[in-house]
Amino acid sequence: MTRAHSAGPASTLFLGVDAGNSKTAALVSTATGQVVGAGRSACGDIYGAPTPEAAVAEVLAAVREALAQAGADLAVVKAAAFRLAGIDWPEDRTYWDQALTRHCPGTLTRRTILNDGYAAIRCGDPGGVGISVTGGTAAAIAARGPDGKLWDMGWWSQHAMGATGLANQAFRAVLLAELELGPPTALTEALLTHYGKPTVAALNHWLTRREGHATGQERNSCARVVTAVAAAGDPVAVEIIRAQGARFAQYAGVAARRTGLTRADRPVSVVLAGSVLMAEDSPVAEALLAELPAHVPGAVPLRGSLPPVAGALLDALAEGGVPLHEREVADAVSARVTATMPPREFLAT
């Protein structure tokens, strides 16, 4: 891994953590926003890891790597923001709170623990007001209103989105086409080629058999195939993309209504994040943006230059007393974070 720009050991540091299913990332910085350490590990979602304890171990591994790179330890962390996939219910937050207390006794006492959907909000508005729409392995949507009210999608979503949603809908379309219950689609040949299967029956068997079936990562690996087939004009794939974009926009509208953002007399920052929405020329992002104004009046969409873990770090800075609500301070800190981030490859999935 390429080292972040180091400023040497610091007496006061701030920690931001963004944990998802594909990876966990951690950043530490000084109060000016200079990133002095970065760490990365595997799945930090207590719902997605083999066990909740395994998720905790991955999050702590990323934190320790970031601190080691900074030449520091937990004792110098003034404030920490944990933005973790799988913080969906109060007991999830309690689990993490107890785990951090147990593993980090006497440290990280100034910390917040929220769903990973909140991580990207400050990547748009450093003041922390707005909506984040993340489409990665799955989807995470969260909002913070002008009065500080929070809402995140969690288990309220009734539609699979992100790479999982694209894959599931593509498999469904191919199987229905094979049964002559749906229209023929170029997705059939594309998926058979992608997975190296000779027939749809062989693909179905591999996806669903009791032993040796496809892993979640293998299933989701076809998401880029789906977007490519849609870009080539296949009507079935185009409809899958359109429907996914519309769903993202609809849930963003729920987030806006639940946090008072539709009543605010101001533009609404909507930050897009995650591999599905941040891919170059993402058709899902295009479909989302086409639908967004109907659901979030005043939406100002931003495809952030900063990754969600940087937003988590900005949360930690704000919660630790750095006045990011002041525009001049926010601009300076955000610029420093941007300039000292680890290379883009460090966060690639």
Side-chain angles (χ1 to χ4, degrees), residues 93-115:
R93 188 176 296 108
T94 298
Y95 176 86
W96 272 103
D97 194 47
Q98 293 173 343
L100 291 171
T101 298
R102 184 171 64 254
H103 287 281
C104 310
T107 60
L108 300 181
T109 54
R110 190 171 188 174
R111 64 183 181 236
T112 56
I113 303 169
L114 293 172
N115 183 272

Side-chain angles (χ1 to χ4, degrees), residues 3-6 27 32-36 305-307 310 313 331-344:
R3 290 176 61 87
H5 293 69
S6 177
L27 296 177
T32 64
Q34 182 170 357
V35 177
V36 293
S305 59
L306 287 173
L313 177 61
D331 289 346
V333 171
S334 296
R336 182 66 62 88
V337 170
T338 301
T340 56
M341 283 288 294
R344 185 178 297 272

Side-chain angles (χ1 to χ4, degrees), residues 14-18 25-29 63 79-83 309 312-314 316:
F14 299 80
L15 167 67
V17 180
D18 173 41
L27 296 177
V28 290
S29 80
V63 169
F82 291 86
R83 303 295 178 256
V309 66
L313 177 61
L314 291 171

Side-chain angles (χ1 to χ4, degrees), residues 21-338:
N21 278 271
S22 59
K23 68 177 182 301
T24 296
L27 296 177
V28 290
S29 80
T30 65
T32 64
Q34 182 170 357
V35 177
V36 293
R40 174 173 172 151
S41 60
C43 175
D45 180 354
I46 58 176
Y47 287 86
T51 65
E53 293 80 7
V56 173
E58 294 295 345
V59 168
L60 292 178
V63 169
R64 292 189 185 105
E65 182 180 352
L67 288 168
Q69 194 178 104
D73 58 35
L74 287 171
V76 302
V77 175
K78 181 177 181 181
F82 291 86
R83 303 295 178 256
L84 313 172
I87 303 293
D88 298 317
W89 302 111
E91 60 266 30
D92 301 324
R93 188 176 296 108
T94 298
Y95 176 86
W96 272 103
D97 194 47
Q98 293 173 343
L100 291 171
T101 298
R102 184 171 64 254
H103 287 281
C104 310
T107 60
L108 300 181
T109 54
R110 190 171 188 174
R111 64 183 181 236
T112 56
I113 303 169
L114 293 172
N115 183 272
D116 63 328
Y118 292 98
I121 292 176
R122 288 189 196 269
C123 296
D125 177 3
V129 175
I131 303 169
S132 70
V133 180
T134 302
T137 301
I141 297 174
R144 182 183 290 110
D147 62 355
K149 187 173 183 180
L150 301 175
W151 186 86
D152 58 85
M153 183 171 66
W155 288 105
W156 287 105
S157 173
Q158 298 304 300
H159 303 91
M161 293 182 283
T164 299
L166 293 176
N168 288 350
Q169 289 301 308
F171 297 140
R172 180 177 184 271
V174 167
L175 294 175
L176 288 174
E178 178 71 7
L179 296 173
E180 299 181 357
L181 297 176
T185 171
L187 286 168
T188 299
E189 186 61 34
L191 293 193
L192 293 180
T193 299
H194 176 71
Y195 289 115
K197 303 299 178 184
T199 64
V200 174
L203 176 63
N204 191 20
H205 183 211
W206 178 63
L207 292 172
T208 60
R209 65 195 183 201
R210 180 168 51 84
E211 296 180 354
H213 58 75
T215 65
Q217 184 175 6
E218 287 170 332
R219 289 176 63 95
N220 293 339
S221 69
C222 72
R224 288 187 173 86
V225 175
V226 180
T227 58
V229 173
D234 177 73
V236 173
V238 168
E239 177 55 24
I240 290 172
I241 297 299
R242 187 209 64 76
Q244 175 140 160
R247 287 168 186 151
F248 272 118
Q250 289 163 0
Y251 284 106
V254 174
R257 293 192 296 275
R258 293 298 177 95
T259 56
L261 286 167
T262 55
R263 300 189 301 272
D265 186 22
R266 54 178 288 173
V268 180
S269 169
V270 181
V271 180
L272 275 56
S275 57
V276 169
L277 296 179
M278 293 302 291
E280 186 175 358
D281 299 322
S282 166
V284 180
E286 291 178 10
L288 187 165
L289 295 176
E291 292 279 347
L292 189 61
H295 299 281
V296 184
V300 179
L302 301 164
R303 299 181 72 178
S305 59
L306 287 173
V309 66
L313 177 61
L314 291 171
D315 273 350
L317 287 159
E319 293 161 4
V322 177
L324 295 184
H325 59 281
E326 297 178 8
R327 177 55 59 181
E328 186 174 341
V329 174
D331 289 346
V333 171
S334 296
R336 182 66 62 88
V337 170
T338 301

